Amino acid sequence: MPISTISIQSSMHPALWTVNSTKYLMNITCEQSLTDNERCDRRRLLLRGLTQSLPEIFPLLYTLLERHFGAAMSEAGRQQLDIAKQHAATVTATLNAVNAYAEWAPLSDLSKYGIIHGCGVLLSSPDFRLHACEFFKLVSPRKRPLDAASEFDSAIHSIFKILMSVSRDFLYRFSYGAGVVDESEFEFGEYICESMVSLGISNLQCLAGDSTLLSFYLQQMLGFFQHFKLALHYQSLLFWLALMRDLLSKPKTVPHAAGDSSVNHLSSSSGEVDNEKKKILSFVNDDICSAILDISFQRMVRKEKVHPGTVLPVGMLELWSDDFEGKGDFSQYRSRLKYGLDGATNTNFI
């Protein structure tokens, strides 16, 4: 039985109020009476103080997640629903606090203190998975920093593994011929796909050295692209467009200057990026390009153009419809498909 959440602010651990305190202090820094320099100074001081407190706050948040999630499940199993709701509310409040930190806290700290792992575990719980999805939505687009790149890559690597494990199960359960499925499952799938897209667009280079994981990731994104649900297909289309645009772009050339160490560093970084792109390109094989071409051609037709008397077979692609809200118009979508067709064709001949 799903555990509904209730407000228990009166019993919330004081550390969870750090989120409200942070928002309050952020509002102070935006006061009109302050100059730009004063606002920047206050923000820096605030961020420094919050960063220094992470070694105390993150272990506490992880402990709260672990303890109250286990207690909520245990009490629900014993039919002690009122107690279970209280524990569930603490889990939700803790996740809200975690998500506030996820927007800016170093990924290395989120990984080191178990936050990434804890949120990954909660993806398996119908009661908390959407809040956990919000965490991964926030961390997936994070860019690799110039310093501490290895720690960042390690954290991103673990995020890839967590999301790919969930998406693998989703694609296995809800592929063609899955029958009638609760729409909440597809909503969850959309959240996962959205994070997978952001992760791939921003950090696919982190997988360049792991051929197995890179291959599995591309196959899963192809699975979303081929999915009969239009929303999932549309989300993954954004990834494939970004990937092809990046892979087919010309390598950047950095002018050399004698004795300029910064230019040499940029040249080295540029060469590393080009090597990573070549590794990724080698995995975009003929089978992937052919599948993209096939699905793109099939989806060039609008639902309204299908004859009303036509009986669609089970597992038929959900075609673009006028009631598909929030995704622009059909002409824009078709233009993206055409770009994908061109990209798949060009990639196929490289």
Side-chain angles (χ1 to χ4, degrees):
M1 178 181 296
I3 304 171
S4 60
T5 58
I6 59 175
S7 175
I8 57 164
Q9 289 184 343
S10 59
S11 61
M12 191 184 302
H13 194 285
L16 295 185
W17 292 106
T18 54
V19 178
N20 292 331
S21 300
T22 299
K23 293 179 180 178
Y24 174 72
L25 290 173
M26 286 294 188
N27 288 335
I28 291 178
T29 63
C30 294
E31 288 181 356
Q32 296 296 325
S33 60
L34 299 176
T35 66
D36 289 341
N37 288 337
E38 288 174 331
R39 291 194 191 97
C40 290
D41 289 341
R42 290 197 179 190
R43 290 193 186 100
R44 278 195 291 268
L45 288 172
L46 172 61
L47 186 59
R48 186 182 303 123
L50 289 172
T51 302
Q52 291 173 349
S53 67
L54 294 182
E56 289 78 36
I57 293 176
F58 279 174
L60 170 62
L61 293 178
Y62 179 80
T63 299
L64 288 172
L65 285 177
E66 183 181 42
R67 181 179 302 164
H68 289 281
F69 174 67
M73 296 299 101
S74 176
E75 296 298 337
R78 296 168 51 201
Q79 296 300 308
Q80 300 294 320
L81 299 185
D82 289 339
I83 300 176
K85 288 177 181 179
Q86 294 180 27
H87 288 295
T90 303
V91 173
T92 301
T94 306
L95 280 172
N96 288 335
V98 166
N99 288 339
Y101 285 105
E103 296 187 67
W104 60 270
L107 281 188
S108 56
D109 287 339
L110 291 169
S111 177
K112 178 181 179 181
Y113 297 109
I115 301 298
I116 292 175
H117 168 73
C119 290
V121 171
L122 292 177
L123 287 176
S124 63
S125 170
D127 300 292
F128 307 113
R129 63 186 184 183
L130 294 186
H131 282 86
C133 281
E134 183 65 21
F135 169 80
F136 288 103
K137 178 181 177 180
L138 291 169
V139 298
S140 293
R142 300 279 290 273
K143 297 288 187 179
R144 178 195 277 174
L146 296 177
D147 57 337
S150 61
E151 294 178 353
F152 177 88
D153 286 0
S154 177
I156 285 292
H157 212 262
S158 64
I159 294 173
F160 265 110
K161 288 183 176 180
I162 289 170
L163 293 180
M164 287 172 61
S165 176
V166 176
S167 66
R168 178 196 61 208
D169 294 341
F170 175 85
L171 290 171
Y172 177 78
R173 292 168 58 201
F174 306 119
S175 56
Y176 288 97
V180 179
V181 182
D182 188 342
E183 282 300 316
S184 65
E185 294 292 345
F186 286 121
E187 180 186 14
F188 175 59
E190 285 186 53
Y191 279 117
I192 293 299
C193 184
E194 181 181 7
S195 293
M196 289 274 283
V197 169
S198 297
L199 195 61
I201 291 176
S202 301
N203 295 295
L204 193 60
Q205 73 279 356
C206 295
L207 295 186
D210 190 332
S211 58
T212 301
L213 204 60
L214 175 58
S215 177
F216 284 163
Y217 174 81
L218 292 176
Q219 288 298 326
Q220 287 188 1
M221 294 312 299
L222 182 62
F224 281 117
F225 188 79
Q226 294 174 309
H227 204 277
F228 68 93
K229 291 292 288 185
L230 179 59
L232 294 172
H233 157 78
Y234 186 88
Q235 284 279 2
S236 63
L237 172 61
L238 303 179
F239 162 75
W240 288 108
L241 292 178
L243 178 64
M244 292 175 184
R245 188 180 298 114
D246 183 52
L247 293 180
L248 298 177
S249 62
K250 295 181 179 179
K252 296 180 180 179
T253 57
V254 180
H256 291 272
D260 192 338
S261 59
S262 62
V263 171
N264 292 333
H265 174 71
L266 288 174
S267 178
S268 175
S269 299
S270 177
E272 182 180 349
V273 170
D274 291 338
N275 288 333
E276 290 172 345
K277 287 172 60 174
K278 290 178 181 178
K279 290 179 182 178
I280 295 171
L281 181 60
S282 66
F283 284 90
V284 185
N285 54 35
D286 292 350
D287 291 338
I288 289 179
C289 293
S290 297
I292 291 175
L293 290 170
D294 181 51
I295 293 298
S296 297
F297 279 122
Q298 292 183 50
R299 287 193 171 277
M300 284 288 181
V301 181
R302 295 174 61 172
K303 182 179 179 180
E304 287 76 13
K305 296 296 183 180
V306 178
H307 192 276
T310 303
V311 178
L312 301 178
V314 176
M316 182 71 176
L317 294 178
E318 183 181 54
L319 299 176
W320 184 280
S321 175
D322 289 337
D323 58 4
F324 187 50
E325 299 178 355
K327 306 300 182 185
D329 56 27
F330 181 71
S331 60
Q332 182 185 41
Y333 165 69
R334 188 166 57 182
S335 296
R336 288 175 171 173
L337 279 181
K338 288 180 178 178
Y339 185 91
L341 286 170
D342 293 339
T345 303
N346 292 332
T347 304
N348 216 8
F349 285 102
I350 291 180

